[in-house]
C-alpha cells in the first residue's frame, strides 16, 4: 500500500524569486487556478510582508482558490507572521509558513545570536502563528548545514509549540542523497514527538541533486515535498515538481509512495509557467522538455513500433502530452475559443474575453490554423493589456539589406502619450532595440541574451523571441511571439523593459510603505 506524499508547490514564491521570473498579479492568479487543477496539496502563494503586491496576490489567491491549502511565508518575527495571517486568513484552508536560519553561519553571522536564542525565536514564532492559524509549518532554513543535534532540538521544540509540518530545507543545494537520507532518518529516530508532525523537505538544485535528495527524503519517511514547476527558483532553481511526481509514480515499487497529483495537467502547467515567466524549458528537460518523449534513432523507432515499452517508461498521455490539434481557425467563435482555453487551464473573465478574442482573430486571420501553443502566447499578450505604467508597442518598422545601414523605427504609447523614435544598429533587431532603449529613456540597458525559435510547425509558424536585458544589477526576461520575428523581438524587448519598470515601481512603493520589509532575495 503506497503512502501519499503531499506536494507543496512553491512556484509562486520560491520559483518567482528566480532572477527575471517575476509574474504580475493576473499571471499569479492564472497559475494558482492551474495549480489547483493539477491538484497540488499546498500552494505557497507568496511572502506577504515582502511587498504590497505580494500581500495582495496571496490574499486574492486565498480568497479565490478552493482545494489546496494556501500558504504564505513569514520570517519568525511577529510583524511578518501577523501580516501573513492577514493575507491567508481569507482562505478556507490557510497555512502560515514561518522560518528561521539554524546553521552556524545564519545563527552567528547573519543574526549575531546564540543557538539558544534562535531556538527561542523559532518557538515564539510558531506559538504566535498557532494562536492565529490551525495549520502552521516551520522551516529550519539551511538545515542541511545545521549541527544535527541542534536541528533535532529545534524540530522537537517547534513540534511541541504546535507546528503541524516541519520542513528541512537544503537552502543552498549542498546535500547529497545519502546525507539527506541519513538526516531525515536521524530525525525520525531521535525526535521523540516526531509522530505529531509531517516532515517535509525543500531542496535547491545548485549541485543538480535536488530531485534525488527529495526522493531520498521520501524513502527515509518524509511526508511532504516542496518543489516548483519546471524546477524554477533561486539560482539553479528548486526541485522540479514534475520529476518528483513522475519518479514516484513510475517507481512506486522503489518508493512505496505516490501523490494525488493529476499528472495529466503537468504539460499544461509547465507551458503556462514557461509562458508567464518567459523561461523557456530546455528541450532535453525530463518529463516536460520538447524531446522528452521524442524517439529519433531508427533503432528506437523500430522498437517502439513493435512494442512501446521497449524504449518508453512513461506514456506521453500520462503527463497530458497530446498531438497539438488545430481545432481553431478564423471562423471559430468565442464559445469555441473559451472552451479550448479552459482545457489549457485559462479561465477568461467575461471582461477579458473581448480583448482575448480580438488577439485570437488577429492571429487566426494571418495563420489560418491556431495551435495550443499559439493560444498560450495569446493569453500572455492579453495579460499585459490595460496595465498602467507600462509601454505599449504601436508600430515597428525596419529597413535593412545588403550595403544598407539597418534602421528601425518604433512608435510606443504609455498612459495615452505616444513617442516615435528611430534607432540604428548592426542588424534589424539591434536597430529596433536601439530605438526602444532611447524611446523609454534607458540608453544604458544591455541586451544580455537573445534567442528566436519557431513555435508549432510549417511556414506559418509563430516565431518566439526571448530576450534578457540587464540594467546595472537588475535583469529581466521578456518573451513574445509573432509571424514576424522583428515584431516579436521588439515586443519581447519591451516586455523586459516593462518588467524592469514594474519592479522599480514595486520597490518604490515598498520603500514608502515599510522600510523594514525583507528582500525576497535574501532567502
Ligand atoms: O530555501 C529555503 O530555505 C527556503 C525556506 C524559506 C523554506 O526557501
Ligand atoms: Zn528555497
Amino acid at each position: 500500500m503506497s503512502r501519499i506524499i503531499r506536494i507543496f508547490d512553491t512556484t509562486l514564491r520560491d520559483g518567482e524569486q528566480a532572477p527575471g521570473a517575476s509574474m504580475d498579479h493576473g499571471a499569479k492568479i492564472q497559475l494558482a487556478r492551474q495549480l489547483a487543477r493539477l491538484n497540488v496539496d499546498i500552494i505557497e502563494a507568496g511572502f506577504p510582508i515582502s511587498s504590497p503586491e505580494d500581500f495582495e496576490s496571496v490574499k486574492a489567491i486565498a480568497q479565490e482558490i478552493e482545494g489546496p491549502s494556501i500558504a504564505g511565508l513569514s520570517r519568525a518575527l511577529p510583524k511578518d507572521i501577523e501580516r501573513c495571517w492577514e493575507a491567508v486568513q481569507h482562505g478556507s484552508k490557510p497555512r502560515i509558513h514561518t522560518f528561521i536560519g539554524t546553521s552556524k553561519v545564519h545563527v552567528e553571522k547573519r543574526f549575531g545570536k546564540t543557538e539558544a536564542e534562535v531556538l527561542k525565536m523559532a518557538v515564539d514564532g510558531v506559538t504566535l502563528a498557532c494562536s492565529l492559524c490551525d495549520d502552521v509549518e516551520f522551516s529550519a532554513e539551511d538545515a542541511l548545514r545545521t549541527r544535527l543535534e541542534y536541528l533535532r532540538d529545534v524540530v522537537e521544540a517547534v513540534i511541541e509549540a504546535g507546528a503541524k509540518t516541519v520542513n528541512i530545507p537544503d537552502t543552498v543545494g549542498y546535500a547529497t542523497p545519502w546525507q539527506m537520507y541519513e538526516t531525515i532518518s536521524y530525525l525520525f529516530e531521535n525526535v521523540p514527538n516526531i509522530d505529531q508532525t509531517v516532515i517535509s523537505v525543500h531542496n535547491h538544485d545548485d549541485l543538480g541533486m535536488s530531485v534525488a535528495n527529495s526522493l531520498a527524503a521520501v524513502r527515509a519517511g518524509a511526508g511532504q515535498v516542496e518543489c516548483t514547476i519546471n524546477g524554477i527558483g533561486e539560482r539553479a532553481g528548486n526541485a522540479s515538481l514534475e520529476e518528483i511526481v513522475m519518479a514516484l509514480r513510475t517507481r512506486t515499487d522503489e518508493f512505496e509512495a505516490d501523490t494525488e497529483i493529476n499528472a495529466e495537467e503537468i504539460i499544461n502547467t509547465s507551458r503556462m509557467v514557461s509562458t508567464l515567466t518567459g523561461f523557456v524549458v530546455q528541450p532535453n528537460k525530463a518529463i516536460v522538455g520538447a524531446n522528452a518523449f521524442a524517439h529519433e534513432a531508427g533503432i528506437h523507432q523500430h522498437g517502439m513500433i513493435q512494442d512501446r515499452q521497449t524504449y518508453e517508461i512513461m506514456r506521453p498521455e500520462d503527463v497530458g502530452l497530446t498531438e497539438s490539434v488545430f481545432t481553431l481557425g478564423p471562423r471559430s467563435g468565442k464559445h469555441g475559443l473559451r472552451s479550448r482555453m479552459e482545457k489549457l487551464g485559462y479561465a477568461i473573465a467575461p471582461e477579458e474575453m473581448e480583448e482575448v478574442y480580438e488577439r485570437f482573430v488577429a492571429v487566426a486571420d494571418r495563420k489560418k490554423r491556431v495551435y495550443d501553443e499559439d493560444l498560450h502566447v495569446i493569453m500572455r499578450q492579453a495579460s499585459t493589456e490595460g496595465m498602467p505604467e507600462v509601454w505599449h508597442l504601436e508600430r515597428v518598422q525596419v529597413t535593412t539589406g545588403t550595403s544598407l545601414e539597418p534602421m528601425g523605427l518604433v512608435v510606443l504609447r504609455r498612459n495615452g502619450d505616444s513617442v516615435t523614435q528611430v534607432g540604428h544598429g548592426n542588424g534589424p533587431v539591434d536597430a529596433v532595440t536601439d530605438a526602444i532603449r532611447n524611446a523609454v529613456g534607458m540608453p544604458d540597458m544591455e541586451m544580455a541574451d537573445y534567442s528566436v525559435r519557431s513555435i508549432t510547425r510549417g511556414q506559418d509558424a509563430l516565431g518566439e523571441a526571448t530576450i534578457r536585458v540587464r540594467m546595472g544589477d537588475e535583469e529581466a526576461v521578456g518573451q513574445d511571439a509573432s509571424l514576424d520575428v522583428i515584431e516579436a523581438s521588439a515586443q519581447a524587448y519591451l516586455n523586459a523593459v516593462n518588467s524592469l519598470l514594474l519592479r522599480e515601481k514595486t520597490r518604490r512603493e515598498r520603500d514608502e510603505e515599510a522600510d523594514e520589509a525583507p528582500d525576497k532575495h535574501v532567502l
Side-chain angles (χ1 to χ4, degrees):
M1 173 71 178
S2 291
R3 279 190 304 139
I4 293 296
I5 306 299
R6 291 185 196 167
I7 294 294
F8 176 114
D9 180 277
T10 182
T11 310
L12 287 165
R13 199 277 298 168
D14 221 346
E16 211 241 356
Q17 284 175 217
S22 64
M23 288 175 253
D24 62 53
H25 184 81
K28 287 184 182 176
I29 306 282
Q30 286 282 9
L31 181 55
R33 289 179 189 145
Q34 179 59 23
L35 291 171
R37 289 164 67 111
L38 183 65
N39 206 28
V40 304
D41 297 278
I42 302 107
I43 295 175
E44 185 165 52
F47 188 5
I49 203 165
S50 70
S51 73
E53 280 74 15
D54 247 40
F55 176 85
E56 288 307 329
S57 304
V58 176
K59 182 172 164 190
I61 290 170
Q63 276 168 332
E64 179 188 317
I65 303 296
E66 295 291 337
S69 301
I70 305 299
L73 184 67
S74 62
R75 293 170 300 182
L77 297 174
K79 63 176 187 304
D80 279 41
I81 294 168
E82 279 152 13
R83 186 76 171 146
C84 180
W85 177 238
E86 264 184 74
V88 294
Q89 64 178 325
H90 304 278
S92 51
K93 286 197 252 163
R95 174 180 288 197
I96 296 178
H97 177 195
T98 188
F99 74 98
I100 194 162
T102 51
S103 63
K104 191 172 160 63
V105 63
H106 281 252
V107 171
E108 292 175 6
K109 298 279 164 29
R110 183 170 162 200
F111 306 129
K113 294 196 185 292
T114 62
E115 286 185 342
E117 285 168 329
V118 167
L119 189 144
K120 182 170 180 323
M121 284 175 76
V123 169
D124 289 349
V126 170
T127 307
L128 172 63
C130 289
S131 72
L132 302 167
C133 182
D134 285 344
D135 185 2
V136 172
E137 169 170 340
F138 172 79
S139 281
E141 191 187 8
D142 206 11
L144 270 288
R145 292 194 302 166
T146 296
R147 197 167 60 78
L148 215 46
E149 294 74 20
Y150 178 55
L151 183 63
R152 175 201 58 203
D153 294 346
V154 172
V155 172
E156 183 179 346
V158 295
I159 298 174
E160 182 65 35
K164 292 220 173 106
T165 305
V166 178
N167 187 34
I168 309 297
D170 180 20
T171 305
V172 289
Y174 179 72
T176 63
W178 298 270
Q179 183 195 358
M180 179 61 79
Y181 185 84
E182 279 159 20
T183 304
I184 302 297
S185 301
Y186 171 86
L187 294 174
F188 273 102
E189 281 155 23
N190 292 283
V191 175
N193 53 0
I194 202 149
D195 57 338
Q196 292 165 34
T197 201
V198 173
I199 291 294
S200 166
V201 283
H202 171 117
N203 293 307
H204 281 268
D205 208 35
D206 300 65
L207 292 172
M209 291 190 273
S210 61
V211 171
N213 287 339
S214 305
L215 296 171
V218 168
R219 268 203 88 145
Q224 174 179 291
V225 177
E226 303 195 355
C227 42
T228 61
I229 304 295
N230 300 341
I232 66 166
E234 282 274 1
R235 309 180 308 278
N238 289 56
S240 127
L241 179 147
E242 59 278 8
E243 292 179 25
I244 293 167
V245 166
M246 291 315 289
L248 292 177
R249 194 149 295 175
T250 309
R251 298 305 310 270
T252 22
D253 57 328
E254 272 282 311
F255 298 106
E256 294 175 351
D258 198 354
T259 68
E260 291 190 322
I261 289 293
N262 177 7
E264 287 174 11
E265 287 297 328
I266 284 180
I267 291 290
N268 273 347
T269 319
S270 163
R271 288 193 181 149
M272 187 182 284
V273 168
S274 171
T275 302
L276 297 175
T277 58
F279 277 26
V280 177
V281 174
Q282 78 200 54
N284 58 320
K285 163 92 173 63
I287 317 295
V288 292
N291 294 347
F293 293 93
H295 298 272
E296 186 73 19
I299 189 168
H300 286 203
Q301 289 174 352
H302 182 66
M304 289 283 292
I305 291 164
Q306 285 169 327
D307 187 335
R308 287 175 76 156
Q309 284 184 26
T310 43
Y311 288 104
E312 202 169 76
I313 56 164
M314 295 167 278
R315 295 175 317 155
E317 52 271 35
D318 294 342
V319 296
L321 190 67
T322 48
E323 263 297 293
S324 185
V325 274
F326 58 92
T327 45
L328 300 177
R331 285 173 211 280
S332 303
K334 288 185 189 157
H335 186 72
L337 176 64
R338 180 187 293 283
S339 122
R340 190 73 206 151
M341 286 291 200
E342 275 168 8
K343 289 218 164 54
L344 297 181
Y346 295 105
I348 306 172
E351 65 278 10
E352 291 164 355
M353 194 59 206
E354 208 47 50
E355 157 69 20
V356 174
Y357 190 65
E358 259 176 46
R359 287 190 180 270
F360 164 75
V361 170
V363 173
D365 277 348
R366 288 167 80 182
K367 265 193 98 200
K368 310 293 178 243
R369 306 191 257 203
V370 181
Y371 294 92
D372 290 349
E373 289 83 345
D374 302 322
L375 297 180
H376 281 288
V377 171
I378 290 168
M379 280 313 289
R380 181 183 56 223
Q381 290 170 332
S383 75
T384 60
E385 189 60 32
M387 273 165 63
E389 296 247 355
V390 298
W391 292 96
H392 295 274
L393 181 67
E394 296 229 300
R395 210 173 111 203
V396 56
Q397 201 175 315
V398 288
T399 344
T400 188
T402 314
S403 315
L404 278 180
E405 189 200 4
M407 196 190 81
L409 175 139
V410 292
V411 181
L412 306 185
R413 179 171 48 82
R414 185 185 191 178
N415 294 335
D417 296 331
S418 179
V419 179
T420 303
Q421 182 75 43
V422 170
H424 302 273
N426 295 322
V429 174
D430 200 23
V432 163
T433 54
D434 182 51
I436 296 178
R437 256 193 314 276
N438 289 309
V440 302
M442 297 164 108
D444 298 332
M445 191 158 54
E446 293 166 50
M447 170 106 84
D449 207 3
Y450 171 63
S451 65
V452 187
R453 67 178 184 117
S454 129
I455 302 182
T456 66
R457 65 219 88 162
Q459 267 191 308
D460 66 354
L462 293 182
E464 181 179 70
T466 306
I467 294 184
R468 182 182 291 273
V469 297
R470 190 177 299 130
M471 181 83 176
D473 293 342
E474 290 281 330
E475 281 197 359
V477 178
Q479 203 178 45
D480 197 61
S482 164
L483 282 169
D484 177 337
V485 291
I486 301 295
E487 199 176 275
S489 305
Q491 186 62 62
Y493 194 79
L494 202 55
N495 290 346
V497 168
N498 285 335
S499 153
L500 280 179
L501 289 174
L502 286 169
R503 215 181 296 157
E504 173 57 31
K505 175 175 171 265
T506 306
R507 194 166 307 128
R508 251 185 288 124
E509 284 174 359
R510 187 174 77 191
D511 290 349
E512 279 160 24
E513 186 143 311
D515 49 3
E516 276 182 85
D519 181 347
K520 292 202 252 195
H521 295 275
V522 299
L523 297 184

